[in-house]
Amino acid sequence: MNIIRPITQADYQALYDIAVESGIGFTSLPVNDDLLHRKVDRAQEAFTKANVTQPGDESYLFVMEDTSTGEVVGTSGIEAAVGIDDAFYHYHLSKVVHASRELNIHNTVEILTFCNDYTGVTEICTLFLREQARGGINGRFLSKVRFLFMMEHRERFSETIIAEMRGVSDEEGRSPFWEWLETHFFSMDFPTADYLTGIGNKVFIAELMPKYPIYVNLLSKEAQAVIGQVHDKTRPALQLLEGEGFSCRGYVDIFDAGPTVEANLSHIRTAQSSLKMPIVIDDAAAAQGQTHYIINTSVADFRAVATEIGVNEEQNIAVLSRQAAAALNVQEGDHVRLAPVKFRD
């Protein structure tokens, strides 16, 4: 059985290995000891912080553990409110019209405007599943468990949830969009800019980024072609989020032009369909149920599993196996929140 739980200092080496495996463009996990230790510290502080009544600088980082081996095989995170301590930048893709009635000319052109429009919203981030664990529902479980956690502890998060999707770059880390910016404004390669951002050094963005809107038709054809497009490895994650109700409203990353997608927590399909119920423990009855994503209601001692559970909505009870109850650290009568792996159309 795989469980998802808060990260601890004992997981540091696994997190470092994941950072190495994730590669260039995975900004939230740069290969930097100080930053990764700080991420673990911030996560432990967030999970143990009591009496939270509104989203702040909390950074929640989860790991997926294979209980048969004790190995950490994946990670995912939530930033409760972005842009509070560090500026949070995007480009917004919009249109302007240049027209002359007298000359009968009407041209619509796209522009990219530098902005901080998502300041204060909640971001889901840092999703990575190691190769040996890919398959089955592990990837979906690692992603969707965050929606259950946010729904259970809504006071800790914004109603608006975003996800920044990795944009197009090659195996050497070359980004067609960044290459145009580099040539005209930055004079540094994409891996360097990506790394500096990942370690929190964002001053250079404000200093060097063009302050005025950029006309898209002035960019290179290669740069224009990747605006709003995702890296091939990110396509499954984007499709999953689109299935949950996320969509792009024209905001793209300032480095690789990958899309940022958003949804209201109340409208995210897994969150919206989730139920909170007290449990009874019965191995036989649980085995006859359907597979669900299930979390306990704790923050500091959070646990999640994906397993069979019997759901009786009329009696408002959920039937859980002893193994699953032990993995979740719950006893009969405790509450869990659950959502189906497969939705009914």
Side-chain angles (χ1 to χ4, degrees):
M1 177 178 289
N2 289 328
I3 65 168
I4 294 176
R5 56 169 176 78
I7 196 168
T8 69
Q9 287 294 346
D11 302 314
Y12 175 77
Q13 186 57 51
L15 184 66
Y16 185 90
D17 293 341
I18 287 172
V20 173
E21 291 173 26
S22 63
I24 297 167
F26 200 74
T27 309
S28 58
L29 278 183
V31 183
N32 178 285
D33 280 315
D34 290 341
L35 179 116
L36 293 177
H37 277 298
R38 193 158 66 246
K39 286 184 77 71
V40 177
D41 290 340
R42 286 189 65 209
Q44 291 187 307
E45 182 180 348
F47 281 111
T48 56
K49 192 173 182 179
N51 303 317
V52 176
T53 58
Q54 62 183 18
D57 63 354
E58 297 83 23
S59 178
Y60 303 89
L61 191 60
F62 307 89
V63 292
M64 176 183 281
E65 177 187 335
D66 182 342
T67 57
S68 64
T69 63
E71 183 181 12
V72 169
V73 295
T75 184
S76 66
I78 309 171
E79 293 289 333
V82 296
I84 303 301
D85 292 330
D86 295 317
F88 194 67
Y89 299 108
H90 279 90
Y91 272 131
H92 185 248
L93 183 65
S94 58
K95 292 181 173 68
V96 295
V97 175
H98 295 267
S100 170
R101 181 177 298 178
E102 181 179 344
L103 299 177
N104 194 30
I105 294 174
H106 187 282
N107 292 321
T108 301
V109 294
E110 293 184 316
I111 61 171
L112 290 168
T113 306
F114 196 49
C115 68
N116 306 105
D117 291 358
Y118 278 131
T119 298
V121 307
T122 294
E123 180 189 15
I124 54 173
C125 56
T126 323
L127 176 67
F128 190 84
L129 188 63
R130 304 183 77 171
E131 189 170 351
Q132 66 266 33
R134 293 172 191 170
I137 63 171
N138 286 343
R140 285 174 286 163
F141 179 31
L142 194 56
S143 178
K144 294 186 178 190
V145 70
R146 297 174 294 188
F147 306 142
L148 294 178
F149 184 78
M150 289 188 286
M151 196 66 175
E152 179 62 28
H153 307 287
R154 296 188 69 162
E155 69 282 357
R156 290 176 175 255
F157 304 100
S158 167
E159 177 62 16
T160 301
I161 314 297
I162 66 167
E164 293 187 300
M165 314 307 294
R166 192 194 308 201
V168 176
S169 61
D170 64 19
E171 293 181 359
E172 283 73 42
R174 289 191 297 266
S175 160
F177 184 77
W178 178 259
E179 285 185 345
W180 185 87
L181 286 174
E182 177 187 351
T183 299
H184 295 281
F185 299 100
F186 280 89
S187 302
M188 76 173 70
D189 61 20
F190 176 66
T192 302
D194 186 64
Y195 177 78
L196 289 173
T197 302
I199 64 173
N201 185 351
K202 299 181 180 180
V203 175
F204 76 96
I205 299 174
E207 292 175 337
L208 299 177
M209 186 65 73
K211 306 300 188 295
Y212 300 102
I214 297 173
Y215 280 73
V216 171
N217 58 4
L218 298 182
L219 274 63
S220 68
K221 296 298 182 184
E222 293 78 10
Q224 293 181 46
V226 299
I227 295 174
Q229 302 301 308
V230 296
H231 194 284
D232 286 342
K233 292 182 179 179
T234 305
R235 200 167 303 282
L238 175 61
Q239 292 171 344
L240 185 152
L241 292 178
E242 289 174 336
E244 289 284 342
F246 282 77
S247 61
C248 182
R249 294 182 53 226
Y251 292 91
V252 299
D253 185 78
I254 61 173
F255 293 150
D256 60 21
T260 291
V261 294
E262 70 167 84
N264 286 347
L265 179 57
S266 304
H267 300 157
I268 295 173
R269 197 173 187 188
T270 292
Q272 187 181 50
S273 66
S274 69
L275 299 171
K276 185 174 181 177
M277 292 180 163
I279 64 163
V280 296
I281 298 176
D282 185 324
D283 288 342
Q288 296 175 13
Q290 300 297 313
T291 304
H292 284 69
Y293 307 116
I294 313 160
I295 68 169
N296 65 17
T297 59
S298 175
V299 177
D301 297 313
F302 175 80
R303 295 291 185 277
V305 298
T307 189
E308 295 79 15
I309 188 171
V311 179
N312 189 322
E313 293 189 38
E314 291 183 1
Q315 297 182 20
N316 190 40
I317 58 170
V319 185
L320 204 59
S321 70
R322 297 180 187 279
Q323 182 188 25
L328 289 167
N329 289 339
V330 294
Q331 299 177 346
E332 193 156 305
D334 289 343
H335 283 74
V336 296
R337 182 172 291 275
L338 53 101
V341 168
K342 293 183 178 181
F343 296 110
R344 296 174 184 172
D345 294 325

